[in-house]
Amino acid sequence: MTREEFDAHVRGIERRYRGRPLALRLRLVVLAAVGYAGLLAGLVLVFALAAFFLVPAWLLPIADGWPFWFLGGCALLGGGAAVVRALWVRLAPPEGRVVTRREAPALHAALEDLRRRLGASPFHRVVVTGDCNAAVNEVPRLGVLGWPRHWLQLGLPLMESLSAAELRAVLAHEFAHLSGRHGRFAAWIYRLRRSWEQVFARLREPYVKSAVSLRPLLLRFIDWFWPRFNAHAFVLSRANEFEADAVAARLAGAENIASSLLRLEVHGRLLGEKFWPDLWLEANRTDTLPPDVFLRLRDTLRAPPPAQAGVWLEQAFRWTTSTADTHPCLSERLRAVARLPAGIERGEFPAWPPALVPSAAETLLGPALEKVRAAVAARWQKDSAENWHARHGRAAALHDRLARLDTAGPAGTDADGLWDKAGVLMKLEGDAAAAPLLRQFLALRSEHAGANFCLGRHLLAESDAAGEAHLERAIETDEDCLPGACELLLVHFRRLGREDRIRATQARLDRHEAAVAASHTERLNVVAGDVFIPHTLTAEELAALRAVLVADPEIAAADLVQKQMRHFQKQRLFVLCLRLQRAWYQLPNRDREQAAVARLLPKIRLPGRKLVLAPHGGFRALASRLASIPSARIFRRAAAKL
Amino acid sequence: MPTTYNGIGTRYAGRRNEERREAACHSCGRLVNLTSYDTRLWFVILFIPVIPLARKRILDECPVCRRHYAIDAEKWETQKQLGISGAMDTYEASPTPEAAMELHQTMLNFHQRAQAAEFRRGMVEKFGENAHVRAYLGEALTRVGNAAEGAPHFARALELRPDLPEARVGVARQHLGAQRLDDARGLLDFLEKPGAEHLYSLEPLEILADAYRAAGQHAPALELYQRLLAGLPAIGQVPAFRKKVQLSEKALRPAATMLPKRKRSLKNLWRSAGGLLRAAGFVGLILLLIGAGFIIANEYNRRHRTIYVINATDADTSVIVRGAGEDQTVRLARMRPGDAKPNMQEIVLPEGHYHVLIGGEKTEEFDWDVRTEYWDRWGGKNVWLLNVRGAALLLSEHVTYRRDPPPPTFELHFGRTAEALSGITNPFTVLPASLQMKSGEERVLTRLDFFPGEPSGLLGALALQHREAEAFDLAEWMLRRNAADETMLQNYVALAAQAHQTPRAERLLRTGLAVRPVNIPWHREYQNLHMNRADEAALAAEYDGLLAAQPENSALLYLRGRIGPDGGAFFERAHRADPMNPYANFALGYDRLAMADAAGARPLLESALAALPESVQFAQLLWQCRLALGETAALEAEARAAIAREPLAIGASQRLIDALAAQGKNADALKIAASYARAAAQLPPEERTQLHATVRRHALYATGDFAALEKDAAPDRTPAGRRALLQALIEQGRAAEAVKLQPLTAANVEDALHCLLVSLALRQAGDAATADAWLERGVQLLSASSKAEQNFARILRDSAPPNPAELAALKTDTMGKAIVLATLAAQHPEQRAELHALVRKLPLARTYPYHFLQRLTAAEK
């Protein structure tokens, strides 16, 4: 199902079940049952096959029944193993520092209070990680069949970013999903959707190279089932988010949920677009991972607003919700809790949130914070070490390459040298560092798809709309750039809140994805069953072609048509059939025909793809088809004998 | 790939548009001239193309291994034209170096080398100063096996852009080819920089290192290997790489090896092993799995041994098997009369040492090993039996399945409480009627089951197979268990006589003489062993002794009466002592019948039969008595009722024939024989033939159709057939011919009455001399028999005329008496009429020589 189809599907569901929540729930129950049935169908089939052999084996004496025992055993063990292997997926619990009640009594007291108030399930463990989020992870013990364990994952950056009250609001939101506050059914569907989403994603990962598995069959079912279930659950889940926000507002205060949402939005961008990229640039210089990364992160969060603060804030409020988002956008969520700042519609946006001292981390973790921070940093170092060292090594090689490029010749004279250098700089220091070189290169080779793409990407990251044009140019030159360019444009338009452009870009992306595979076949195959239209050559082009044909005395006639392209209709594909002169008593000579085709093929110039053929041999049917098209005959030699 | 089998299959024929290029074969890896061409695929017979199947484009056919790609010629042509024209269109629309390279590559991909060469010239003209284009051309030409043409392009690219990695690698490759290794290393220095592995392939560095090693320059080789190890640590585990490093290290002998410690794992072991070793490992694994399967099966068999616990006794029994694990208790009900099989239960136990306790009236306990040899557990087919008191009679039958199978053999199992049997393929299950086997194959299946019939019938079968010892063991075991089994007793004694084992039988019978109440059949058989001239006196004394202890014992009185010619008084006393004693009544009835007093015999015989209805002897004599009394209509009705109940009852059929013949209904009598044949149709052929012949001949004799009897018996060479023929000849007055069938000198002439009869027949035929010889033989045989028969001998030897009154009082078998009287009549013509009259009065059965005697005595009718 394409994005456009999914969007249409979601909209259709919203229309169909508007005012009929019970019908939607019933539908979801049916879909969940279908999901479980589909996942277990393989197992049922295996049991049925095994029973087919084992029942007669049970009834026969062992001397006669042993082949049935053997076959039944093979079916049960082999089939069972294949199905279990196909279904087997292990979701690892979140990795991080486990924080015990003894270490952080304040945190656990706050969690217990919230849990009790909301009647949510208890947590198996509370884990502090290096991510900037809070989530309740459900780790199913039985893979696709469920039976989850709840792990509360708290990101240290999040705790450093929020106050204790704001964190309480965030946690209240998460707990609300697990509690029966907005209905046990909704909570179950919410959890099931999240759980299946993770499991199905894992199922798609290749697990053993070239292994024979039933998993492709399972994935076929998932491909059919998941978009349907997801679309229905999506409609319910989005409503759940608002309800969870409302619960959080009631328990922790609307101000706190509103300020936490804003902080998470802008701090997330600050970390994602500035702190982490800057930190990783250090790998170019040193092979040693910084030990104080989370102290630096805290300081970054407490530092004065960055230069892009205004733009980021504006974009945070302009961001719109798409069908890819399970969570509504910031402005919708703030509006729902009646805390949308006034003047947003007029372009007046609130200020960058002030730094917080003490943070939720300091308040709730207390003396354990240093230990927890050190542990989280150590884990980050462990997880990042390989990439860090690889990046450092790559940077060394890139520096060497850069040095050689610099010594090879003066910059600006050789376009290829410029492009190579820009490429090295992009890899080394990012798009921004290479932007001047890219501009310089495009001055020489304005049509270069890669350069346009990279510059467009850089400009959009800088919130510069000029990037759109570069991306469009890249697509025009090389259609293979379209998916990547459209993804960049989508993010750009969403930041601007341009819903019309978002829809158009999504539709374009879907069309392209659908057309690419089909058009490849269409462009490289011509059969008699294709739809042919009269050629669209200009008079000059046709005259040039006729001149080539006239020059060869063997050619008696020629038929020319154009294949109608369903995809990429601007492309043209011509089919030219050459008919040779022969006396009435002569049989068709295939070798002679092939020789004529080979002789004329390099001389024939047509504005598109071309297939030149002779009427006998393998192309007989196609040639007959061309002969039946009245306007196809473009040349006939006077007094020619066919 | 096309294939043929014995000249039939598919094959390519013809070759056009051939192109060659030097490259490594994608299948065998050899550097060869790969060929591409158009051809046609044919269906061939005897390698002669017969049916064209398709036109093909063959791509990159290896001249060594013949592997290639094949594509439909039209599809290839279409894709080639459309692909190249599409790339050309793109290039013409945007004539950039990238588009030019794309077009050139497309031409090469479709093997259009001439077109590509032409286009390449244009490329060089247009983009000759573009280092990327030059490097691409160098690489493309090298890939299609034209490294020499590619070399200038690399060189020019390096001139234009000395930093360009592709150009440096390309030129370095030329230096490598020319053994200018240091020059190559200079160009590849960027690969030796730290982190280069993140940007470039280090393959050229490895090639360079290998070249140094091959040239004997191990120091630079090791430097480069060290660099490769630093950049790609995983390569240190690759066996081929390790081998190369080890060779260089061996040459230089450094202080320590640069190679990391080898990771020991099965995966590595598997990878490092050669093809043969891998195959051996695979086979070994399979064998290991099979071996494990056998061991598991062996252990399973050891733990699951089936014990069959059987109770064929007449008491409820419990059997406790104590040993490994919990006690196994089996309760089995007694075997009741009418039960088809003894009660049986299976228990499954592991092999081991057990203690068995058998309850019931008489407890029994013993230790028992349920055990087999390790190697016997797979195919041993062992069976363990707990046969309570050894009471069940089991039979193991070995049946050979093959095209012309021998008759089955069998063994008997009885009398042993615990028994282990091996080679039993079908314990207590039926054997298949047939098996699907290979031609010439032979298979033997052994079935163990309870003996289904009367054990007495087994004695004859065993005797026929000369297994008399087994027969005696079986009979004695059966008689010890059930002394009242009269049939078994009679068969046993008969078998003993036949096998000259009378002393053995006597020893057994003697053990039962003191048993009270007296087992009359047992005593009768004992007495029968001594009914001869030598023993009779001692026997009489023995029974006199028994009688002295119990003078009024009816059974002993009866038995005493059987000894000697004067038993009548004892029979009377026995009858008085116990009027219901069937044997006393039978004896009295028998005597009356011998004295031609059928009316007097009837109530006595009736009473005897009522007390012992299963006695065949009593029933036959009563039948004879009633026939003599003329109750033919009633007898006919009874016989018909018996046949209706049991159509195959041969005795009933014979009785009905006799009854009908006695009424003169000869045609009906013959119909009975025919209807018996129909009823016997369901029997096996041999048995059917034999039974039908018996009934038919009986009917023919009873109705007096001796010519038909002769005709029927003549082709039959069996003893029964010869006997019937002899009877037919005697009855037809052809005694001389009859004597030829069984001359006097024959060893089997042991029947005294037969000798007397033949003598009569010969005498009637006028051969007095031969008749005298037969008479003498008959008298001799009578003299050697019991006292009563000795009496006959004495009378026959006496030259004085016999006293008819005395003869009339002789109490013996009526048919025997009739023959003796007829013989006396021949010896004493003066009393012929009187003696013949006596013969005619006797109630005779309508069996041979009934008609002869009737004819002989017809004058006195």
Side-chain angles (χ1 to χ4, degrees):
Chain A
M1 197 180 274
T2 63
R3 268 176 298 272
E4 204 173 8
E5 285 168 349
F6 185 76
D7 289 349
H9 197 49
V10 168
R11 283 195 292 275
I13 292 166
E14 282 173 337
R15 267 199 311 277
R16 200 180 317 147
Y17 294 106
R18 188 168 295 142
R20 295 195 304 145
L22 201 64
L24 176 62
R25 287 168 183 229
L26 194 66
R27 176 79 176 163
L28 273 165
V29 168
V30 171
L31 280 170
V34 168
Y36 278 117
L39 293 172
L40 292 176
L43 221 49
V44 172
L45 272 176
V46 166
F47 282 131
L49 185 65
F52 181 75
F53 294 113
L54 292 179
V55 169
W58 182 259
L59 297 175
L60 287 170
I62 188 75
D64 300 329
W66 72 265
F68 291 98
W69 281 113
F70 178 75
L71 289 173
C74 286
L76 197 62
L77 291 177
V83 171
V84 169
R85 200 173 150 203
L87 289 176
W88 182 255
V89 61
R90 192 168 170 274
L91 288 181
E95 290 185 347
R97 170 69 153 74
V98 176
V99 179
T100 62
R101 187 178 294 275
R102 184 180 287 179
E103 275 182 319
L107 174 64
H108 278 274
L111 293 173
E112 185 58 27
D113 176 54
L114 279 173
R115 196 189 68 72
R116 204 161 18 80
R117 282 168 176 239
L118 287 166
S121 314
F123 295 109
H124 180 64
R125 294 273 188 283
V126 177
V127 175
V128 177
T129 66
D131 303 326
C132 185
N133 70 348
V136 177
N137 284 67
E138 293 190 326
V139 182
R141 294 175 177 93
L142 298 179
V144 293
L145 303 181
W147 191 27
R149 227 180 220 156
H150 301 296
W151 292 64
L152 177 63
Q153 183 186 344
L154 281 174
L156 186 60
L158 178 93
M159 294 177 82
E160 301 273 21
S161 166
L162 302 179
S163 70
E166 287 168 343
L167 182 67
R168 183 180 158 80
V170 170
L171 293 174
H173 173 97
E174 289 300 319
F175 285 21
H177 289 312
L178 300 176
S179 76
R181 273 301 170 92
H182 51 250
R184 289 190 183 284
F185 175 79
W188 173 62
I189 289 294
Y190 179 85
R191 290 198 303 270
L192 190 65
R193 179 173 173 273
R194 273 203 343 197
S195 176
W196 274 355
E197 191 172 25
Q198 292 178 70
V199 168
F200 292 164
R202 285 299 300 272
L203 281 175
R204 286 179 197 285
E205 292 173 9
Y207 59 106
V208 178
K209 201 176 170 185
S210 71
V212 178
S213 168
L214 293 177
R215 196 168 278 186
L217 282 178
L218 189 67
L219 290 175
R220 278 193 164 206
F221 168 73
I222 291 171
D223 287 342
W224 171 84
F225 164 74
W226 176 242
R228 283 156 183 81
F229 177 79
N230 191 29
H232 286 79
F234 190 84
V235 174
L236 196 69
S237 295
R238 206 181 267 173
N240 288 347
E241 293 299 335
F242 288 120
E243 286 184 34
D245 281 347
V247 170
R250 276 200 300 279
L251 283 179
E255 277 306 324
N256 286 324
I257 187 72
S259 61
S260 66
L261 288 173
L262 182 60
R263 261 185 217 284
L264 282 175
E265 195 69 37
V266 294
H267 283 178
R269 192 139 184 212
L270 171 66
L271 296 177
E273 295 193 12
K274 186 156 177 60
F275 173 76
W276 291 113
D278 289 352
L279 184 82
W280 277 89
L281 278 178
E282 283 186 31
N284 292 352
R285 295 189 296 277
T286 172
D287 197 27
T288 311
L289 283 92
D292 58 345
V293 61
F294 285 96
L295 278 173
R296 288 200 220 172
L297 186 145
R298 184 198 62 187
D299 297 341
T300 304
L301 292 173
R302 289 179 181 177
Q308 305 92 327
V311 177
W312 287 352
L313 271 167
E314 183 184 341
Q315 289 180 348
F317 280 98
R318 288 197 188 280
W319 186 270
T320 58
T321 311
S322 78
T323 45
D325 298 318
T326 53
H327 289 67
C329 64
L330 176 68
S331 45
E332 284 179 10
R333 292 177 76 176
L334 290 179
R335 190 178 291 119
V337 294
R339 288 293 181 276
L340 183 68
I344 294 293
E345 284 79 10
R346 296 192 301 275
E348 295 167 9
F349 300 99
W352 187 264
L356 283 172
V357 180
S359 67
E362 287 157 336
T363 309
L364 296 175
L365 293 177
L369 175 59
E370 289 310 315
K371 265 200 251 177
V372 171
R373 188 183 281 137
V376 173
R379 177 162 287 280
W380 176 84
Q381 282 184 317
K382 187 181 162 200
D383 293 345
S384 309
E386 192 180 338
N387 285 340
W388 188 276
H389 298 313
R391 184 170 176 132
H392 179 73
R394 192 160 151 267
L398 286 168
H399 278 301
D400 177 65
R401 176 99 179 92
L402 201 57
R404 286 171 190 270
L405 278 166
D406 286 338
T407 54
T413 54
D414 174 22
D416 287 325
L418 280 174
W419 173 236
D420 287 351
K421 195 170 177 181
V424 172
L425 272 174
M426 278 189 286
K427 285 176 191 165
L428 199 56
E429 292 172 21
D431 290 348
L437 283 176
L438 287 172
R439 288 183 202 282
Q440 213 176 336
F441 175 69
L442 284 172
L444 296 170
R445 300 264 309 267
S446 60
E447 79 292 352
H448 195 274
N452 276 309
F453 183 85
C454 294
L455 188 60
R457 182 175 62 193
H458 164 67
L459 292 172
L460 290 189
E462 297 288 322
S463 305
D464 186 344
E468 289 177 39
H470 283 287
L471 289 176
E472 288 296 346
R473 202 171 302 146
I475 293 169
E476 202 175 308
T477 317
D478 182 2
E479 66 184 20
D480 292 343
C481 291
L482 190 138
C486 282
E487 291 294 345
L488 291 169
L489 286 169
L490 269 177
V491 173
H492 172 64
F493 292 137
R494 289 183 70 189
R495 283 176 177 164
L496 296 179
R498 297 284 304 275
E499 288 194 22
D500 55 333
R501 300 294 301 271
I502 293 170
R503 272 198 294 278
T505 310
Q506 276 179 338
R508 187 180 184 185
L509 195 53
D510 283 340
R511 275 199 306 277
H512 175 80
E513 283 175 0
V516 161
S519 76
H520 181 77
T521 312
E522 187 183 43
R523 279 180 289 175
L524 290 180
N525 282 290
V526 181
V527 291
D530 287 335
V531 178
F532 296 102
I533 56 173
H535 67 78
T536 55
L537 294 181
T538 61
E540 292 79 28
E541 288 166 340
L542 190 58
L545 175 61
R546 280 184 179 141
V548 172
L549 298 172
V550 167
D552 194 312
E554 270 199 303
I555 305 299
D559 299 326
L560 179 71
V561 293
Q562 210 171 307
K563 180 177 172 179
Q564 188 170 39
M565 310 295 273
R566 288 191 297 118
H567 309 284
F568 302 105
Q569 292 177 359
K570 279 194 279 181
Q571 295 195 5
R572 296 197 283 182
L573 193 157
F574 297 95
V575 184
L576 177 66
C577 179
L578 302 177
R579 296 175 189 277
L580 269 59
Q581 297 209 58
R582 63 183 164 95
W584 62 268
Y585 52 84
Q586 283 179 322
L587 288 171
N589 186 333
R590 226 179 110 190
D591 291 343
R592 201 174 131 233
E593 288 179 347
Q594 289 303 317
V597 167
R599 190 170 62 243
L600 287 180
L601 190 59
K603 297 178 187 168
I604 294 169
R605 294 299 171 108
L606 292 170
R609 292 172 192 270
K610 67 185 178 205
L611 174 64
V612 182
L613 52 95
H616 299 100
F619 294 111
R620 191 188 303 268
L622 187 57
S624 300
R625 178 76 202 287
L626 260 61
S628 69
I629 298 171
S631 59
R633 184 60 50 91
I634 56 159
F635 171 72
R636 186 181 176 90
R637 196 179 295 279
K641 289 170 186 164
L642 292 174
Chain B
M1 277 175 75
T3 46
T4 52
Y5 186 76
N6 287 341
I8 300 171
T10 55
R11 219 181 154 184
Y12 295 133
R15 191 179 278 227
R16 286 180 187 171
N17 302 329
E18 191 172 312
E19 288 168 8
R20 288 173 189 274
R21 70 183 180 102
E22 191 188 50
C25 169
H26 50 84
S27 178
C28 66
R30 293 184 180 89
L31 190 66
V32 289
N33 271 319
L34 298 174
T35 318
S36 302
Y37 55 90
D38 292 334
T39 186
R40 193 183 282 276
L41 182 69
W42 289 82
F43 176 75
V44 298
I45 297 175
L46 297 175
F47 301 105
I48 300 166
V50 179
I51 304 168
L53 298 176
R55 287 186 67 232
K56 297 279 179 189
R57 175 72 184 177
I58 304 303
L59 303 176
D60 291 345
E61 186 183 58
C62 174
V64 180
C65 69
R66 315 302 298 182
R67 296 299 292 259
H68 59 268
Y69 298 105
I71 183 171
D72 281 346
E74 284 73 34
K75 195 179 270 185
W76 168 261
E77 183 64 26
T78 305
Q79 295 197 350
K80 182 185 83 178
Q81 284 196 31
L82 293 177
I84 293 173
S85 61
M88 180 76 83
D89 187 44
T90 308
Y91 173 69
E92 283 174 354
S94 171
T96 61
E98 290 79 17
M101 288 189 277
E102 179 70 31
L103 174 56
H104 182 258
Q105 190 57 51
T106 307
M107 288 170 176
L108 287 183
N109 289 346
F110 284 106
H111 298 192
Q112 301 304 299
R113 295 180 67 179
Q115 199 178 355
E118 192 182 331
F119 180 71
R120 196 158 54 238
R121 281 192 287 278
M123 266 179 93
V124 171
E125 276 176 27
K126 193 166 183 180
F127 306 111
E129 297 307 304
N130 186 314
H132 280 290
V133 170
R134 286 287 194 169
Y136 158 76
L137 288 174
E139 187 63 35
L141 288 165
T142 305
R143 264 205 312 274
V144 296
N146 201 351
E149 199 184 335
H153 292 294
F154 278 128
R156 180 63 188 143
L158 192 64
E159 275 175 37
L160 291 167
R161 287 277 302 276
D163 65 295
L164 199 64
E166 297 88 339
R168 295 175 80 87
V169 170
V171 176
R173 220 181 277 140
Q174 291 162 27
H175 288 319
L176 277 171
Q179 288 297 308
R180 295 190 296 271
L181 303 185
D182 290 335
D183 292 345
R185 190 173 181 184
L187 285 171
L188 296 179
D189 63 342
F190 68 102
L191 295 180
E192 293 188 55
K193 302 288 179 194
E197 65 275 7
H198 296 289
L199 287 186
Y200 316 109
S201 162
L202 298 190
E203 190 194 356
L205 219 52
E206 190 179 2
I207 295 169
L208 178 62
D210 293 345
Y212 271 124
R213 184 176 54 80
Q217 299 182 48
H218 294 287
L222 281 177
E223 282 171 25
L224 293 173
Y225 287 138
Q226 181 77 61
R227 171 68 192 94
L228 285 166
L229 264 178
L232 308 166
I235 203 173
Q237 299 299 330
V238 177
F241 180 80
R242 293 180 72 88
K243 199 172 175 184
K244 290 190 286 193
V245 174
Q246 282 162 352
L247 281 171
S248 287
E249 286 183 340
K250 197 174 172 185
L252 290 185
R253 299 189 182 283
T257 179
M258 71 170 76
L259 289 170
K261 199 171 176 186
R262 186 90 185 264
K263 283 181 190 163
R264 298 279 169 202
S265 72
L266 282 175
K267 204 169 158 186
N268 281 344
L269 192 69
W270 182 256
R271 280 181 178 172
S272 61
L276 199 65
L277 267 177
R278 280 190 204 182
F282 189 71
V283 171
L285 187 67
I286 298 286
L287 290 177
L288 200 69
L289 287 174
I290 292 171
F294 271 102
I295 290 168
I296 290 167
N298 188 297
E299 183 59 16
Y300 180 86
N301 288 343
R302 192 189 73 75
R303 287 165 181 266
H304 296 83
R305 291 308 195 180
T306 305
I307 317 292
Y308 297 91
V309 186
I310 302 159
N311 183 19
T313 67
D314 52 3
D316 294 345
T317 309
S318 66
V319 177
I320 299 169
V321 183
R322 191 170 287 161
E326 289 183 6
D327 290 359
Q328 294 271 352
T329 304
V330 180
R331 293 181 202 289
L332 291 167
R334 64 180 176 274
M335 190 175 176
R336 296 167 201 282
D339 285 355
K341 284 179 177 178
N343 289 308
M344 182 177 81
Q345 270 191 36
E346 293 175 26
I347 53 174
V348 177
L349 295 171
E351 288 186 11
H353 183 75
Y354 290 94
H355 187 73
V356 181
L357 289 111
I358 297 176
E361 289 174 2
K362 193 173 142 192
T363 58
E364 184 182 355
E365 59 183 292
F366 54 88
D367 286 343
W368 193 34
D369 277 326
V370 175
R371 214 179 287 281
T372 48
E373 293 294 322
Y374 188 85
W375 303 104
D376 290 342
R377 285 192 197 128
W378 287 300
K381 299 179 178 65
N382 300 290
V383 165
W384 284 265
L385 299 172
L386 273 178
N387 182 359
V388 175
R389 322 260 182 256
L393 173 60
L394 294 119
L395 177 134
S396 54
E397 185 185 16
H398 311 284
V399 178
T400 305
Y401 290 80
R402 68 178 196 207
R403 189 177 292 281
D404 182 19
T409 60
F410 65 89
E411 285 162 21
L412 297 169
H413 308 278
F414 55 87
R416 268 185 276 179
T417 307
E419 197 167 1
L421 304 174
S422 62
I424 306 296
T425 57
N426 294 54
F428 302 101
T429 54
V430 290
L431 291 171
S434 61
L435 287 179
Q436 190 79 33
M437 296 190 300
K438 289 175 194 162
S439 172
E441 189 186 347
E442 178 179 310
R443 213 178 290 176
V444 178
L445 297 186
T446 302
R447 170 196 179 204
L448 177 72
D449 214 334
F450 301 107
F451 180 71
E454 280 298 318
S456 54
L458 265 175
L459 299 189
L462 288 167
L464 278 175
Q465 294 183 12
H466 306 291
R467 293 160 67 183
E468 286 85 358
E470 278 178 71
F472 280 120
D473 290 344
L474 173 67
E476 287 166 5
W477 170 72
M478 290 294 295
L479 289 171
R480 283 195 191 97
R481 287 186 61 224
N482 181 17
D485 187 345
E486 204 172 334
T487 315
M488 175 59 82
L489 188 63
Q490 287 167 358
N491 289 355
Y492 172 66
V493 174
L495 178 67
Q498 185 188 329
H500 308 293
Q501 292 281 334
T502 312
R504 177 173 178 163
E506 198 214 341
R507 277 197 298 278
L508 175 77
L509 292 172
R510 191 175 282 284
T511 60
L513 296 182
V515 174
R516 294 294 179 273
V518 174
N519 182 345
I520 294 173
W522 189 277
H523 280 262
R524 280 163 56 99
E525 292 302 331
Y526 174 73
Q527 288 179 341
N528 289 345
L529 293 178
H530 297 283
M531 291 290 195
N532 55 59
R533 189 194 296 179
D535 298 344
E536 220 165 57
L539 190 65
E542 188 178 356
Y543 276 84
D544 285 342
L546 293 173
L547 263 179
Q550 291 175 289
E552 291 307 312
N553 186 316
S554 175
L556 288 174
L557 285 167
Y558 159 73
L559 290 166
R560 176 61 186 84
R562 292 187 76 231
I563 306 164
D566 307 321
F570 285 104
F571 295 149
E572 290 292 351
R573 280 176 63 193
H575 179 68
R576 280 200 297 277
D578 179 7
M580 298 307 292
N581 182 344
Y583 288 94
N585 288 333
F586 171 73
L588 290 171
Y590 182 88
D591 285 355
R592 297 261 194 293
L593 215 54
M595 290 187 292
D597 180 9
R602 194 181 188 287
L604 290 164
L605 293 173
E606 213 164 31
S607 168
L609 188 63
L612 214 59
E614 68 273 19
S615 172
V616 176
Q617 195 181 10
F618 291 6
Q620 275 180 345
L621 207 63
L622 177 62
W623 167 269
Q624 193 177 330
C625 177
R626 291 174 68 192
L627 197 63
L629 289 170
E631 296 175 21
T632 48
L635 291 173
E636 180 191 341
E638 284 173 28
R640 284 192 188 279
I643 290 171
R645 281 195 304 276
E646 203 177 344
L648 287 174
I650 193 164
S653 296
Q654 288 175 333
R655 288 198 296 275
L656 179 57
I657 288 165
D658 287 350
L660 291 168
Q663 295 173 71
K665 298 176 181 174
N666 286 354
D668 290 349
L670 291 172
K671 278 180 190 168
I672 296 302
S675 64
Y676 186 86
R678 284 194 295 277
Q682 56 184 314
L683 295 174
E686 273 183 31
E687 195 179 351
R688 183 177 63 219
T689 309
Q690 188 190 346
L691 289 174
H692 182 222
T694 306
V695 175
R696 191 174 63 242
R697 287 168 190 168
H698 183 86
L700 290 171
Y701 186 86
T703 54
D705 191 350
F706 307 121
L709 179 62
E710 181 192 355
K711 193 178 172 186
D712 183 86
D716 186 355
R717 315 297 293 182
T718 64
R722 297 293 89 186
R723 199 162 49 244
L725 180 60
L726 189 143
Q727 292 169 2
L729 293 171
I730 295 276
E731 289 287 0
Q732 291 178 88
R734 289 151 63 188
E737 289 174 56
V739 168
K740 284 179 189 166
L741 285 177
Q742 191 185 31
L744 188 57
T745 52
N748 59 352
V749 179
E750 290 176 344
D751 185 349
L753 295 177
H754 170 68
C755 294
L756 297 182
L757 197 70
V758 173
S759 158
L760 283 171
L762 286 167
R763 201 174 301 282
Q764 204 179 22
D767 188 355
T770 315
D772 287 343
W774 279 90
L775 175 62
E776 182 54 32
R777 181 66 183 270
V779 173
Q780 279 174 5
L781 287 169
L782 284 172
S783 303
S785 299
S786 66
K787 208 162 188 177
E789 285 159 336
Q790 287 167 29
N791 208 16
F792 283 148
R794 182 183 53 78
I795 294 167
L796 288 171
R797 284 195 192 283
D798 201 346
S799 56
N803 179 354
E806 186 189 345
L807 291 174
L810 278 175
K811 294 166 186 170
T812 184
D813 166 45
T814 52
M815 188 60 83
K817 185 175 177 178
I819 293 168
V820 171
L821 289 175
T823 308
L824 284 170
Q827 283 180 327
H828 304 284
E830 66 279 11
Q831 290 189 337
R832 177 181 297 166
E834 201 173 348
L835 291 169
H836 279 183
L838 278 177
V839 171
R840 294 193 70 87
K841 279 184 190 171
L842 286 170
L844 299 177
R846 298 182 73 87
T847 56
Y848 174 80
Y850 172 80
H851 288 291
F852 179 82
L853 292 172
Q854 290 299 315
R855 273 198 311 279
L856 192 68
T857 59
E860 276 65 46
K861 191 174 179 180

